[in-house]
Amino acid sequence: MTAAPPPSDTDELVENALLGGRVRLRQPAKGYRAGMDAALLAAAVAAAPGQRVLEAGCGAGAVLMQIAARRPGVSLTGLERDPAMAALARENALLNGADARIIAGDVAAGFRALAMEPFDWAVSNPPFFDDPGALRAPAEGKRGAWMADDGLQAWTDFLLKGVREGGRIVVIHRADRLADLLALLGGKAGSFAVRGIHPYADEPAKRVLVQAVRTGKAPLRLLPPLVLHARGGAKHTAEAEAVLRGEAGMGF
């Protein structure tokens, strides 16, 4: 295994321990930082040894590194348009000894621009907004992660073309975009499974995990939700804590 590069400037980067310390992740101290969404997306990928997983918009590699720790023997590829974040993802792959290839590129260019064979899994946490008027302008360091310049359709098209027939697409996104996700993916994928992510048991879901199968025909399944917090209790529910520590998955 190649030795990890020397630590980066601590004024610019922080190192976080994920999955109960099984993963070390270096990411920017300021700007967008991966958290709960990345952990839930990684937990929803039940790839088998030898399978190939593609992540669109991998950032610093938080999802890929957690998949690598959860699913030994899986081959990982990440696409990232920000050169600095792509370099950081490569650094994190070395740091964790992960079989992960990081490619510099833009989802908007389409999957065919990569000149690669379709994958067994294609996953993503797409930017949450594609209308600049829908929210106050995010900080410059967060804009790329929050704003989909080419719209959600560019991301779903990329995922659909990036996965083989019978392969699986997994997306985590805002709950209020569920109808859009189903419509955009539904032309070439089916066998949907949807799991709501609720902040509290008595509050609506703010996130959804959606799995689709390329050319799948099975009926949609609405799965039991994940509740993240209990009022007056620990920071996370026991179920959420098990997922965050890598002791449980979010399988479909």
Side-chain angles (χ1 to χ4, degrees), residues 50-120:
Q51 289 192 321
R52 299 165 62 240
V53 179
L54 170 68
E55 184 188 5
C58 69
V63 174
L64 295 175
M65 297 307 103
Q66 291 180 83
I67 295 174
R70 285 175 170 275
R71 299 286 170 180
V74 169
S75 176
L76 302 167
T77 298
L79 179 73
E80 176 53 47
R81 73 175 183 177
D82 183 333
M85 295 301 283
L88 190 52
R90 297 186 189 103
E91 181 178 330
N92 280 318
L94 290 173
L95 184 67
N96 289 280
D99 176 15
R101 177 187 180 189
I102 309 301
I103 300 172
D106 196 333
V107 165
F111 177 74
R112 290 191 179 90
L114 302 183
M116 301 179 74
E117 292 295 319
F119 286 70
D120 301 295

Side-chain angles (χ1 to χ4, degrees), residues 9-225:
D9 186 346
T10 55
D11 290 334
E12 298 177 358
L13 299 179
V14 295
E15 183 173 303
N16 301 114
L18 309 178
L19 296 185
R22 291 161 58 194
V23 170
R24 295 167 61 190
L25 184 75
R26 292 173 180 165
Q27 55 183 337
K30 297 180 181 180
Y32 176 79
R33 294 173 60 186
M36 179 72 73
D37 293 341
L40 297 179
L41 179 59
V45 179
Q51 289 192 321
R52 299 165 62 240
V53 179
L54 170 68
E55 184 188 5
C58 69
V63 174
L64 295 175
M65 297 307 103
Q66 291 180 83
I67 295 174
R70 285 175 170 275
R71 299 286 170 180
V74 169
S75 176
L76 302 167
T77 298
L79 179 73
E80 176 53 47
R81 73 175 183 177
D82 183 333
M85 295 301 283
L88 190 52
R90 297 186 189 103
E91 181 178 330
N92 280 318
L94 290 173
L95 184 67
N96 289 280
D99 176 15
R101 177 187 180 189
I102 309 301
I103 300 172
D106 196 333
V107 165
F111 177 74
R112 290 191 179 90
L114 302 183
M116 301 179 74
E117 292 295 319
F119 286 70
D120 301 295
W121 294 74
V123 308
S124 188
N125 177 13
F128 283 162
F129 299 93
D130 50 18
D131 178 3
L135 77 166
R136 185 178 62 188
E140 187 58 34
K142 297 184 179 181
R143 191 188 187 286
W146 280 88
M147 191 66 63
D149 294 331
D150 298 284
L152 184 58
Q153 184 168 358
W155 291 78
T156 54
D157 286 350
F158 182 91
L159 296 172
L160 285 166
K161 290 182 172 63
V163 71
R164 61 172 175 80
E165 289 195 10
R168 297 176 186 271
I169 296 167
V170 184
V171 176
I172 189 166
H173 206 59
R174 290 163 37 203
D176 62 357
R177 297 301 302 271
L178 176 58
D180 296 325
L181 279 171
L182 297 178
L184 290 168
L185 292 170
K188 295 182 179 179
S191 303
F192 288 103
V194 179
R195 190 185 299 274
I197 311 298
H198 297 248
Y200 294 93
D202 58 353
E203 292 187 3
K206 290 190 175 181
R207 300 282 187 271
V208 285
L209 272 166
V210 176
Q211 178 182 267
V213 178
R214 176 71 190 266
T215 66
K217 302 297 183 183
L220 182 148
R221 293 177 296 133
L222 187 59
L223 303 177

